[in-house]
Amino acid sequence: MLRTLTETAQELRERRVSPVELVEGALDRASRWQPVINAFSQVHAEEALREASRQADALARGEDPGPLAGVPVAVKDLFDVAGWETSGSSLAYRGSVARADAEAVTRLRRAGAILIGKTNQHELACGGTNSVSAHGPARNPWDPARITGGSSGGSAAAAAARIVPLALGTDTGGSIRIPASFCGVAGLKPTYGLLPTDGVMPLAPSLDTVGALGARVEDVALGHAVLAGLGAGWVETTTGSIAGIRVAILGGFFEKRVDAQVLEAVGSAAAELERSGAEVRSMDPGAVEDAPDVWSILTMSEFAAGHGRLLRRPETLYPMTRGSMEWGMQRTAVDYLHARERARAIRDAFLRLLDEADVLLAPATIFPAPPHGADEVEVAGDLVGIHRGGAGWLTRPISLTGLPALSLPVGRSREGLPLGGQLVARDGEEALLLRVGLAYQRATDHHVAAPT
């Protein structure tokens, strides 16, 4: 099992491990896992090894290695990396080579991280399965016959398989939280607007966020600190007791059409938090059933505005992506404005909940990872579409609010598949989310096991 990022930094400073060893280990794991899970769209082994060697020399000279020095990382294929192709896993953008790094990539490099490659994703981030990709479907490390979820499926799979301890994704309607849930890792969607999206291919700019995924909450915390430009001391604010923190389990919309196994796992997580000192209660967000549809209007309208020119070359897009874009083209300005007004009302509903609670707890996904090729899953007696909103049913409402949310594993299904919960807090309270998530992981071991 990989070390935590903090442990790795300490071992590097003490010269007990070298950047070259770390990168060679990651590349070896990538070569073994890639034929099974197809987590990467591209791997740049020689470039990564050159950077590792350069860092090893710098360490030998006594230079400050940085908080992520020598750490092998991967980034979703939406992020620009100078000299690398940015395709969004779509034929439409194959051959588009970035001239400069995205700001998030710049911050990773400045902290000493070493990029080994880009991860597979759902085409143009327009979907929650990662079954639709010009690089072929990403597959779940726990069961390659299952989906990873998307759109940041390759990043979640790479973290779950312990290829890299940290990977970047984006989240517009659940694209970090869905694959984190299906693949059994932690993933943070920060407050909207907190992290820069410069150099990141957009899906819906009014909702797009950048965030980190990792096997452990503490790794995600350090990754977030680097991305947000926070000092090393900030990570310490994510540790400590959660005694007296008010946690509300969301009912109503968040318990309807949810697999009983998921509800049971989230209930057990709430009980564990209570044993750790949190004050737990149940709360109903009220009438938010229309949130997934509101999200669709906003997102697909902006998606069509940003990428609609691709419809002139329909053969470069998967039919599902093309259909979403065409649907977005058909939304009117009145549709969009009404949806924007409704989104503000949904945000207000969640803020009222957070007047009486510090953190909200809900399932991240309504079912465990479905099989590749399946179109529907039976949930609570209903057939739910996987591709058309089912995977993001519970994440889209949170995205409309702009609030930060942390997905983390809370159990296993009868088939041994990861089950995920999501924690939600007020704007800018990522430290609180990570603190609660870390307290939960200290008391449980769902994050410890790794697929083999």
Side-chain angles (χ1 to χ4, degrees):
M1 180 177 293
L2 290 180
R3 311 161 182 85
T4 67
L5 294 185
T6 301
E7 291 168 343
T8 298
Q10 183 64 29
E11 291 186 352
L12 277 165
R13 287 180 173 85
E14 295 174 356
R15 310 284 288 279
R16 288 186 285 134
V17 66
S18 76
V20 174
E21 290 175 304
L22 292 175
V23 169
E24 285 178 340
L27 292 172
D28 178 64
R29 290 187 294 274
S31 67
R32 287 187 283 112
W33 273 105
Q34 181 65 6
V36 180
I37 61 175
N38 195 30
F40 288 86
S41 61
Q42 49 189 291
V43 175
H44 294 263
E46 291 183 4
E47 184 174 329
L49 287 168
R50 283 197 301 271
E51 175 60 18
S53 180
R54 188 197 68 78
Q55 285 200 21
D57 292 342
L59 281 166
R61 292 192 298 268
E63 296 180 12
D64 182 6
L68 293 180
V71 172
V73 301
V75 300
K76 186 177 181 178
D77 210 346
L78 291 181
F79 289 83
D80 282 348
V81 178
W84 296 7
E85 179 185 79
T86 303
S87 73
S89 291
S90 175
L91 288 175
Y93 290 116
R94 293 301 298 268
S96 299
V97 176
R99 297 180 179 180
D101 288 344
E103 177 60 25
V105 172
T106 296
R107 295 182 183 188
L108 286 179
R109 290 195 198 273
R110 193 181 297 143
I114 299 176
L115 275 66
I116 68 165
K118 284 193 172 185
T119 54
N120 196 353
Q121 62 168 82
H122 199 106
E123 184 176 43
L124 301 181
C126 187
T129 66
N130 220 140
S131 296
V132 177
S133 166
H135 299 104
R139 298 185 177 276
N140 198 309
W142 293 98
D143 179 357
R146 306 270 175 170
I147 69 172
T148 59
S151 60
S152 308
S155 290
R162 307 309 196 255
I163 297 171
V164 290
L166 192 72
L168 293 196
T170 60
D171 192 313
T172 305
S175 287
I176 286 173
R177 289 163 290 155
I178 295 164
S181 176
F182 285 164
C183 293
V185 298
L188 178 65
K189 182 201 88 68
T191 304
Y192 174 75
L194 180 67
L195 299 185
T197 55
D198 310 61
V200 181
M201 185 185 293
L203 172 60
S206 73
L207 297 169
D208 291 344
T209 57
V210 167
L213 299 98
R216 304 174 180 87
V217 169
E218 56 261 50
D219 293 345
V220 170
L222 183 53
H224 177 74
V226 166
L227 293 171
L230 302 168
W234 179 87
V235 177
E236 297 177 5
T237 68
T238 67
T239 63
S241 170
I242 61 168
I245 290 176
R246 300 171 299 168
V247 176
I249 310 173
L250 294 183
F253 174 82
F254 287 88
E255 61 184 1
K256 296 175 184 175
R257 293 209 314 171
V258 179
D259 189 295
Q261 298 174 93
V262 177
L263 289 176
E264 182 180 353
V266 171
S268 296
E272 194 61 62
L273 291 174
E274 191 167 33
R275 283 190 288 272
S276 296
E279 299 174 4
V280 177
R281 59 181 294 194
S282 297
M283 297 181 75
D284 189 332
V288 296
E289 286 80 5
D290 63 336
D293 292 335
V294 171
W295 179 91
S296 293
I297 293 171
L298 294 176
T299 300
M300 296 311 154
S301 296
E302 295 182 24
F303 178 51
H307 298 277
R309 65 191 181 281
L310 299 180
L311 291 175
R312 295 195 293 267
R313 295 183 292 131
E315 72 281 358
T316 64
L317 298 171
Y318 276 84
M320 189 171 295
T321 309
R322 189 168 64 244
S324 295
M325 194 177 292
E326 290 170 344
W327 188 87
M329 283 283 196
Q330 295 164 8
R331 299 313 99 194
T332 67
V334 172
D335 293 334
Y336 184 86
L337 291 174
H338 283 171
R340 180 58 60 199
E341 182 179 356
R342 182 65 187 130
R344 285 192 289 268
I346 291 168
R347 172 178 163 85
D348 288 343
F350 280 91
L351 290 177
R352 285 193 293 272
L353 295 177
L354 288 166
D355 284 337
E356 301 180 37
D358 300 309
V359 173
L360 309 177
L361 170 64
T365 51
I366 63 176
F367 41 61
H372 278 284
D375 292 322
E376 296 178 321
V377 172
E378 184 174 341
V379 179
D382 290 335
L383 285 177
V384 178
I386 296 169
H387 297 277
R388 297 297 182 187
W393 189 251
L394 301 181
T395 54
R396 290 179 175 184
I398 307 304
S399 289
L400 289 177
T401 70
L403 298 170
L406 173 69
S407 178
L408 72 170
V410 295
R412 296 287 180 82
S413 73
R414 288 184 292 272
E415 297 169 300
L417 300 170
L419 303 173
Q422 59 177 330
L423 299 166
V424 183
R426 302 176 192 91
D427 293 320
E429 294 194 342
E430 285 79 7
L432 176 60
L433 283 182
L434 293 162
R435 183 176 164 195
V436 174
L438 184 57
Y440 176 73
Q441 289 199 343
R442 282 198 301 265
T444 60
D445 62 359
H446 302 305
H447 61 292
V448 174
T452 57

